[in-house]
Structures are given as C-alpha cells and as structure tokens.
C-alpha cells in the first residue's frame, strides 16, 4: 500500500504482485530497519550489563584478592619461666593468670634479637617501636600455645606471628613510604626494617588460611580478622533452612498442587504465598525478633533463630518453584499412572515428583542461595554482634552465638581501618564462591536427575 | 474381514460386562452427555464414533472414573460393572481402574525403562510374589502387546526411546499387565502412521479374546474393521447403538447415515 504501489494502477494488490523480488519495497525496508534497531538495542543492553558485571568483579577482586595473602614474621621466642611461671610449679591456673600483656616483653625481646641476629640496621628505633611491627594479636597466639603446652616453658619455640596491619599493607600496596611518613601507626623506618627482614627470610607473605578459620578480631588488629565464625554460622543456618524449608515447602506445594480442592480458600493461600515472596526481608527479621526471641525465648545471635527466619523467607521461593515444576509435568503421565490403577499418592510420588525433581532442586538451591546472601533480617535478631567464640557442633551449636557471612561483610565495611575494606572484599569473594558452588551443584544435580530418564 | 458376521453371531451370546443407564455428565453447567444407555458385551470390541466434541471420550472416561480427576465434572445415572454400580460411594476408583484399564490418545509411557513401564501396575497391585513372576508377567504382557520380539533385548532402555507405534503398543501392554477385565482405548491410533495403526488394530483383535475392549475412534473405517458393536454419539446423545455391520450398512437414524456418509462431522 505504498505510494509506489499505487503508481499508475487503481488497485494496489496487482501492482505488488507485479513487482520483482529483487527490489525491496518501502514497507519491508521499514520492517527490517525496525528489527535491526531492536537487535542493536538488545545487544547494547547486554553489553552494558556485562560491563557492569566485569566492573563489579574486577573491583571486588582487585580489592579483595590481597586478603587471601598475609604477612608473617618467623620469631624464635624464649618462653621465659621468670615471666610465665614465677614459682616454677607448672600450675596451669597460675600460668593462666599471666595476661597477654605479660607476653609482650617476650616478643619484644625476640624481635630485637632477630633484627640484630640478621644484621639488620635498627634505624635508630626503640625496642618498643620494633616490637610494634608485630600484630597485637601475637601475644594471644603465644599465650594460647603456652596454655596448651605448659611443659614448653623455659624452651625457645619458633612461632610464625602475624605482622602488623600496616606492615602487611605495605606488601599489598596499601601502605607506601610516603603514607607511612604521615601515619602515626607506622613509620618509614619500620618499613625499611621489614624490607631487610624480608630479604633475610624472616618475614614473608603467604597464603592466608587463617582468613577462613580465624574468628573476627577487634578494630585495632584487622590482620587477625577471619571468617571462621561467620562461615560456621552461615553453614549452620543453611542446615536449618535445608532441613526445615525443603521438606515443608515441597510438602506444601505437593498438597496445594495435587491434592487441595480448587476453591476460594486455596486461591487465597496461593495469592498470599506470592505476596510473601515479595515481602521485604527486614520484615521477616522483625517477625523473627518478636516471635522467636521475645515470645519463644530463643537466644539472640543464634544460628537457630537466623535459620528459622531465613526458612520463613525461603519457603515462598521454594513453594513457587516447586509448584511450577509440578505444573510442568505433563498431565498425560498422571493419567497413565491413574489408568493402571495407581492411587493419587502413588501417582505423585512414583511419577510426578521424580519428574519435577530437577525443578524442585533448582528452586531449593536458588532459595538457599538467596538465604545465604540475606543480611537485613539477621541484623535484627542480633547476629551482627561481635563473636569471637566458635559455636559448638550442632545441634547444641545452633543455640550458640555466631555471625554470618553477609553480616560479617557489613560489619567490616563499617570499620575504620582500610585493612578491613580488603577483608570485606575478600569476604565478598568467599560468599560469591559459595554461591557459585551452590549453583554448580544445582546444575550437576539437575543433569543427574535428567539423565536417569 | 470376511468372517465378521460369524464373529457377531458368537458375540450375541456373550454376557453384558458393563452397562450404563440414564448416564448424564456435566462440566459445571454444561451438559456433555445426555441420557446415555449402553450395554458393553464381554469379550467384544465396542467402538464409539461421532464428530469431535460429541462426548464419546467423556463417556469413555466415565467407565473407569477418570473424570473424577476433573473437579467440575459431575456424573449422574448408573454405570455398572458386572452388575455393581461403579459410582457407589463404597467403590474405590483405584480398584476400579485396576479392573478397567485405559489406553490414551497420545502414547504416554512412563519415562522409565520398558521393563518398569510394564512392571509398574503389577507391582502396585501386588500381582507378583517374586522377581521371576514379575519377569513372566512382563514377558507375557509384551507378547500380548505384540512388542516382545522388538524389545526383548533392550528391556532396560527407556520406554520413551521407542517409536510412536511401539510406544502405543507398550502402553497397551502396560494396561494389559494388570489383568483388567475391560480395556478402554481413547483414539489409540490417532497419533500413529498407517503401519503402526494396522499393528495396533491387529492387537485389538487379539485382545478381545480375553478382554472386553471399548475403543473411541474418529476413523469409521477403523470402527468397521475392529469392532463388533458400534455406538454413534452426536451432540452428547447416543444416537444409535447396534451391531457394527448394521450401523454401517443399514443405519436406522438419519443422523447416523449423514455422519457415516460424511455429511455431518
């Protein structure tokens, strides 16, 4: 119906019929142009998305990778009986009375001796300043060792002690000679001694296992902070969510999808499940605080409460995914089973459920992943607390205070020392790796279940 | 099909297996089946024919209460199997379906091995006491389904890997495995090619020695080939029911005549 088509002829249709296929008419050209525009916009959207993702990952990796390496100083420390076990009785209670403060002189002595022994110029620094290169965490490390091995008192033991946060930062590019000159916590002289010790092999940077196992540490010793308690807490919560949400959610979905009568009441339930999935997670936190802690009297900061709250939050996701998976099973399979005389329950459990399994597992793992990354409700039930004690093994451990990965990240980003920024990024990487593992697990499980048929 | 009249003579002597009286089926407010009276003979193939939407499949599904799975569906009147009302509240539809098996329009094997497809029914009904007995049932059923020779070497491969015709025969074998008394077939050949159709029709002919078979079909040739009795449904009414030869050669109702000569449908 273009103008060209009308040209010379009263009826447009014959004109179009006469046109050669080799020339493209205006209408087709416009359609093709619209399609090309749409494709272009689509690719632009995808590229923007990918760039954002790459930018995000690069920034996290650049900031966080360094947290997987940590600087240690290898020191020969003489466990002086005059300081640790004054009366020589070997009585553990008395040894335990010596606080970490009492261990400081031992480290100072060992550090000065090591600097001298390796022929390193002490840059005119006082012994205390040289000892400050070691993390304030070090006395606690030695004290724990002594309390575990009291018979070693009087001997000289080699310890790998954490270097101070700024010395560690120097080897990760966070601290330079210029910034050190302006910093009260570190001096260029200390950095020069560190360099010399590094050349002598006393100080080195190695893989940071403690990051995964150590508990959180206070503001002044970021170098000692680790994710141990947070990982355990998150694992415990996932355990609770898995044990509660998966059976509950799947059972509820099977009932709603296969057995429940279709009436206004089940419609109402269905609408409300969808609504629950959209409720902000912090609301679940308030609910958990009111019900589980205030009413039921469960302990604060405990993984059991976190797990319960996350279960409530995950249930709608699992129910929606499971119902979709059940709906996707062709009705012909149900008819086939009913046709050979299977009961409703046999039909569901022998035929429908195995076919829906890949979808259910995917839904469950997506739900778990969502729960693993959830922060807001945990803040309200006290999991943001500073926890240095590892929770015991389950089931008792579920009631011990613990932290959680996302909360730990939030916690570290609120602290002053730039070393915590590195730790937070490192924790984000750990969290992402866990999520990645869960997704890979979902894919593997899905493949395995599908291959059976 | 020269021997058809002979067989009909034999058929008239047999007993009535199932019968429906004043059967009405409603989907919500819509009446799908009106006042259907049918007697289905034992060891006979009965064909239901009629245009699409005439209610023949709906009626077929009443015979083993498959319509129970549709919440808005309501059945009135009486349908009996061996004189017992199958809609009696005391009747468990699961038990009924073990006696009245069903084969569906589209082949719907379970996504399991061929063996498990057949063995499923006997297993849930406890028909086999040992593994060997189950093996026997599977072999016997596959032989009855005219599939044994084709699949005996791959019993543990998935049933979904068979061709369409083989799948449908597998479904028939599966239905036969639970030793039903009546076998309902809802357009069993509509998804099959002519060769597979011929195989299934041959099979139906053999099955009628042991079972009463009810088949819904769109193909009048098929009805003429396999059945001894034919019922013609139109707009939810049972228009005519009688010996197949009589329906196709000498219909009493003008509607039946128009349908089989292709004027309505």
């Amino acid at each position: 119906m273009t103008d060209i088509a009308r040209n010379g002829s009263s009826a447009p249709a014959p004109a179009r019929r006469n046109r050669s296929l080799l020339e493209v008419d205006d209408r087709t050209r416009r359609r093709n142009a619209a399609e090309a525009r749409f494709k272009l916009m689509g690719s632009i959207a995808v590229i923007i998305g990918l760039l954002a993702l790459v930018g995000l990952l690069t920034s996290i990796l650049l900031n966080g990778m360094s947290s997987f390496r940590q600087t240690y100083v290898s020191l020969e420390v003489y466990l002086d009986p005059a300081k640790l076990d004054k009366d020589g009785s070997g009585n553990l209670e008395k040894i335990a009375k010596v606080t970490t403060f009492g261990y400081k002189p031992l480290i100072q002595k060992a550090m000065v001796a090591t600097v001298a022994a390796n022929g390193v110029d002490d840059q005119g620094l006082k012994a205390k300043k040289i000892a400050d290169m070691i993390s304030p965490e070090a006395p606690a490390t030695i004290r724990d060792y002594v309390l575990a091995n009291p018979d070693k008192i009087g001997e000289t033991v080699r310890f790998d002690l954490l270097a101070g946060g700024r010395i560690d930062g120097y080897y990760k590019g966070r601290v330079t000679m210029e910034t050190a000159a302006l910093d009260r916590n570190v001096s260029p002289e200390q950095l020069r001694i560190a360099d010399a010790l590094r050349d002598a092999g006393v100080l080195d940077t190695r893989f940071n296992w403690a990051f995964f196992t150590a508990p959180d540490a206070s503001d002044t010793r970021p170098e000692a902070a680790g994710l141990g308690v947070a990982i355990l807490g998150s694992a415990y919560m996932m355990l609770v969510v898995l044990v509660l949400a998966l059976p509950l959610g799947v059972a509820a979905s099977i009932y709603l999808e296969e057995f429940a009568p279709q009436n206004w009441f089940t419609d109402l339930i269905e609408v409300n499940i969808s609504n629950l999935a959209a409720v902000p997670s912090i609301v679940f936190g308030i609910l958990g605080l009111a019900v589980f802690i205030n009413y039921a009297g469960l302990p604060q900061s405990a993984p059991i409460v976190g797990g319960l709250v996350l279960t409530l939050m995950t249930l709608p996701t699992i129910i929606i995914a499971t119902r979709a998976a059940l709906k996707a099973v062709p009705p012909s399979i149900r008819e086939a089973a009913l046709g050979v005389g299977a009961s409703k329950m046999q039909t569901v459990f022998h035929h429908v459920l195995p076919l829906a399994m890949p979808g259910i597992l995917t839904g469950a793992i997506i739900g778990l992943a969502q729960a693993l990354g959830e922060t807001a409700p945990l803040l309200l039930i006290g999991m943001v607390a500073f926890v240095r004690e590892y929770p015991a093994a389950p089931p008792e451990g579920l009631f011990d205070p613990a932290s959680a990965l996302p909360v730990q990240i939030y916690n570290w980003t609120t602290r002053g020392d730039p070393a915590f920024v590195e730790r937070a990024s490192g924790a984000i990487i750990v969290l992402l790796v866990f999520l990645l593992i869960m997704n890979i697990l979902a894919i593997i499980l899905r493949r395995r279940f599908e291959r059976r048929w | 099909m020269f021997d058809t009249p002979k067989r009909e003579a034999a058929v008239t002597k047999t007993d009535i297996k199932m019968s429906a009286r004043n059967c009405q089926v409603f989907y919500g407010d819509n009446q799908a089946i009106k006042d259907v009276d049918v007697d289905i003979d034992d060891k006979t193939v009965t064909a239901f024919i009629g245009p699409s939407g005439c209610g023949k499949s709906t009626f077929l599904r009443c015979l083993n209460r498959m319509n129970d799975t549709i919440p808005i569906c309501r059945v009135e009147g009486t349908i009996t199997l061996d004189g017992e009302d199958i809609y009696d509240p005391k009747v468990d539809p699961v038990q009924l379906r073990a006696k009245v098996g069903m084969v569906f329009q589209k082949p719907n094997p379970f996504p399991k091995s061929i063996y498990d497809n057949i063995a499923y029914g006997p297993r849930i009904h406890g028909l086999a006491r040992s593994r060997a007995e189950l093996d026997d049932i599977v072999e016997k059923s596959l032989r009855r389904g005219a599939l044994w020779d084709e699949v005996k070497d791959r019993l543990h491969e998935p049933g979904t890997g068979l061709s369409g015709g083989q799948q449908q025969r597998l479904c028939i074998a599966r239905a036969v495995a639970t030793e039903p008394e009546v076998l309902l077939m809802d357009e069993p050949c509509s998804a099959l090619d002519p060769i597979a159709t011929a195989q299934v029709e041959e099979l139906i002919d053999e099955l009628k020695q042991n079972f009463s078979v009810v088949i819904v079909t769109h193909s009048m040739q098929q009805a003429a080939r396999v059945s001894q009795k034919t019922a013609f449904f139109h707009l939810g009414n049972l228009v005519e029911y009688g010996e197949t030869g009589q329906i196709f050669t000498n219909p009493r109702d003008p509607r039946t005549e128009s349908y089989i000569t292709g004027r309505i449908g």
Side-chain angles (χ1 to χ4, degrees):
Chain A
M1 301 336 138
T2 60
D3 292 345
I4 305 163
R6 241 174 240 146
N7 193 12
S9 146
S10 59
R16 180 180 288 181
R17 198 174 295 156
N18 292 336
R19 172 147 339 95
S20 158
L21 267 180
L22 296 175
E23 55 186 87
V24 180
D25 67 13
D26 276 2
R27 174 177 285 265
T28 314
R29 196 173 294 127
R30 273 203 301 278
R31 277 201 304 226
N32 291 346
E35 194 172 315
R37 271 200 304 278
F38 183 77
K39 279 200 232 164
L40 184 71
M41 284 190 288
S43 344
I44 291 174
V46 170
I47 289 169
I48 291 176
L50 281 180
L51 283 179
L53 184 67
V54 168
L56 183 77
L57 283 181
T58 334
S59 124
I60 289 174
L61 288 178
L62 282 181
N63 275 320
M65 281 317 273
S66 55
S67 61
F68 297 111
R69 301 190 62 72
Q70 192 67 44
T71 310
Y72 286 87
V73 182
S74 184
L75 281 190
E76 302 256 353
V77 180
Y78 175 55
L79 301 175
D80 190 353
K83 290 249 163 43
L84 305 180
D85 189 16
K86 277 172 193 150
D87 53 4
S89 64
N91 186 341
L92 251 180
E93 273 178 41
K94 289 218 171 128
I95 300 173
K97 281 201 178 121
V98 182
T99 58
T100 49
F101 194 75
Y103 287 81
K104 273 194 173 169
L106 303 181
I107 295 172
Q108 184 168 326
K109 209 184 266 175
M111 188 64 188
V112 173
T114 307
V115 169
N118 287 287
V120 175
D121 179 12
D122 66 6
Q123 309 274 337
L125 280 182
K126 282 191 202 136
K128 188 178 175 305
K129 281 283 171 195
I130 295 176
D132 277 351
M133 292 170 60
I134 303 289
S135 160
E137 182 71 13
T141 313
I142 300 179
R143 183 170 179 269
D144 288 345
Y145 177 84
V146 169
L147 292 181
N149 311 284
D151 52 313
K152 293 280 185 189
I153 292 176
E155 292 179 29
T156 302
V157 181
R158 174 170 289 276
F159 287 99
D160 282 342
L161 298 173
L162 285 165
R166 301 299 152 106
I167 305 291
D168 182 47
Y170 176 57
Y171 292 109
K172 293 172 178 173
R174 203 169 55 230
V175 176
T176 60
M177 288 293 176
E178 291 78 46
T179 59
L182 305 168
D183 195 334
R184 269 193 312 127
N185 296 311
V186 69
S187 62
E189 290 80 11
Q190 284 178 323
L191 295 183
R192 264 177 238 125
I193 294 176
D195 274 340
L197 287 176
R198 192 176 154 91
D199 292 340
V202 174
L203 180 146
D204 69 333
T205 304
R206 62 180 85 144
F207 189 76
N208 186 9
W209 283 111
F211 186 56
F212 302 101
T213 56
D216 194 7
S218 67
D219 288 1
T220 53
R221 48 187 102 169
E223 64 279 0
L227 288 168
V229 174
I231 290 177
L232 265 184
S234 275
Y236 284 9
M237 285 196 296
M238 290 306 105
L239 198 72
V240 174
V241 174
L242 195 68
V243 166
L244 290 180
L246 191 61
L248 266 180
V250 172
S253 325
I254 290 174
Y255 176 72
L256 284 173
E257 196 58 44
E258 305 282 342
F259 293 94
Q262 292 290 310
N263 54 29
W264 64 268
F265 187 63
T266 44
D267 283 351
L268 190 76
I269 290 178
E270 192 167 345
V271 168
N272 279 302
I273 288 173
S274 308
N275 284 343
L276 272 183
V279 167
S281 55
I282 198 150
V283 176
F284 284 102
I286 294 178
L287 182 80
L289 179 64
V291 175
F292 298 130
I293 295 180
N294 287 353
Y295 179 72
L298 289 170
Q300 288 181 27
S301 311
I304 182 81
V305 180
L308 285 169
V309 169
L310 294 179
T311 298
L312 290 182
M313 232 194 64
T314 316
L315 264 177
T317 314
I318 291 185
I319 290 179
I320 289 170
T322 306
R323 291 190 70 176
L326 290 173
K327 263 197 193 107
V329 174
S332 67
I333 295 293
R334 290 185 183 83
E335 288 193 325
L338 291 175
V340 295
S343 68
K344 190 112 194 189
M345 183 125 171
Q346 286 170 330
T347 304
V348 171
F349 282 90
H350 295 167
H351 301 287
V352 178
L353 205 56
L355 284 178
M357 217 51 189
I360 295 175
L361 283 177
T362 312
I365 291 178
I366 288 174
L368 274 184
Q370 190 190 351
L372 182 64
E374 199 53 69
T375 324
L378 302 182
L379 299 182
L380 285 177
I381 57 159
M383 291 205 82
V384 73
F386 177 77
V387 184
R388 260 190 77 80
E389 294 291 316
Y390 294 101
E396 300 84 27
L398 297 178
F399 297 88
D400 292 344
S403 185
L405 272 174
V407 177
Q408 193 68 71
I409 293 168
Y410 165 77
N411 206 333
W412 282 346
T413 50
T414 57
R415 296 201 190 164
D417 196 310
F420 278 113
V421 176
E422 168 204 289
R423 297 272 148 169
S425 300
I428 289 172
I429 295 173
V430 172
L431 185 60
L432 287 179
V433 167
F434 277 131
L435 292 178
L436 207 65
I437 290 173
M438 286 170 84
N439 279 316
I440 291 171
L441 201 71
I443 293 170
I444 291 173
L445 285 174
R446 205 160 54 202
R447 286 268 167 82
R448 171 158 298 175
F449 272 95
E450 271 169 358
R451 209 178 289 153
R452 255 173 66 192
W453 312 124
Chain B
M1 296 290 147
F2 292 112
D3 53 352
T4 308
K6 227 190 295 167
R7 239 186 255 148
E8 274 174 19
V11 158
T12 45
K13 274 183 260 155
T14 56
D15 315 320
I16 293 167
K17 189 68 189 169
M18 295 192 82
S19 81
R21 289 290 172 274
N22 291 324
C23 183
Q24 331 256 355
V25 182
F26 300 87
Y27 287 118
D29 294 332
N30 287 336
Q31 187 164 11
I33 294 283
K34 295 164 202 155
D35 281 328
V36 170
D37 293 355
V38 165
D39 289 326
I40 290 157
D41 295 336
D42 201 9
K43 303 203 187 335
T44 308
V45 179
T46 307
F48 291 172
I49 59 168
S52 293
C54 68
K56 53 194 188 304
S57 286
T58 299
F59 182 66
L60 187 79
R61 291 165 63 94
C62 290
L63 296 180
N64 71 343
R65 293 184 58 173
M66 278 304 268
N67 283 335
D68 288 16
T69 56
I70 304 165
I72 56 163
C73 182
R74 191 158 48 87
V75 180
E76 287 175 9
T78 52
I79 299 177
T80 59
L81 172 68
D82 292 330
E84 293 173 329
D85 185 359
I86 63 169
Y87 280 91
D88 190 284
K90 275 180 280 191
V91 171
D92 186 339
V94 170
Q95 252 176 312
L96 171 71
R97 288 182 201 131
K99 284 186 161 195
V100 184
M102 188 154 191
V103 176
F104 297 86
Q105 184 171 1
K106 254 176 66 185
N108 55 354
F110 298 129
K112 299 180 186 239
S113 72
I114 294 171
Y115 184 94
D116 286 337
N117 260 284
I118 307 292
Y120 182 69
R123 261 189 205 136
I124 58 172
H125 295 300
L127 298 184
R129 268 162 304 178
S130 65
R131 177 83 198 188
E133 259 186 56
L134 195 60
D135 288 347
D136 284 347
I137 291 176
V138 170
E139 180 177 343
K140 196 172 121 204
S141 308
L142 282 171
R143 280 190 195 282
R144 276 177 166 177
L147 196 61
W148 174 253
D149 291 331
E150 290 161 63
V151 300
K152 65 182 173 204
D153 300 324
R154 45 177 177 147
L155 287 177
H156 295 283
E157 283 172 34
T160 40
L162 298 171
S163 74
Q166 287 174 325
Q167 283 189 16
Q168 192 62 301
R169 279 181 283 148
L170 179 65
C171 293
I172 295 173
R174 180 178 66 193
V176 168
T178 54
E179 296 288 339
E181 295 165 22
V182 181
L183 197 55
L184 309 177
M185 297 185 161
D186 191 356
E187 299 181 37
C189 299
S190 65
L192 304 184
D193 69 17
I195 296 170
T197 302
Q199 285 168 330
V200 170
E201 284 178 6
E202 212 170 296
L203 181 58
I204 293 171
D205 207 49
E206 280 165 31
L207 292 175
K208 89 167 186 277
Q209 289 160 15
N210 298 301
F211 309 100
S212 164
V213 179
V214 184
I215 176 170
V216 163
T217 177
H218 266 130
S219 153
M220 281 172 281
Q221 289 85 347
Q222 186 173 55
R225 281 194 301 262
V226 300
S227 71
Q228 286 80 54
K229 289 208 149 188
T230 298
F232 171 60
F233 285 80
H234 187 235
L235 301 175
N237 295 305
L238 176 64
V239 175
E240 194 168 349
Y241 178 51
E243 303 285 326
T244 301
Q246 174 255 314
I247 295 271
F248 280 98
T249 54
N250 188 19
R252 293 191 192 99
D253 196 288
R255 283 173 292 176
T256 315
E257 194 187 351
S258 348
Y259 181 67
I260 58 181
T261 53
R263 266 177 284 150
I264 58 169

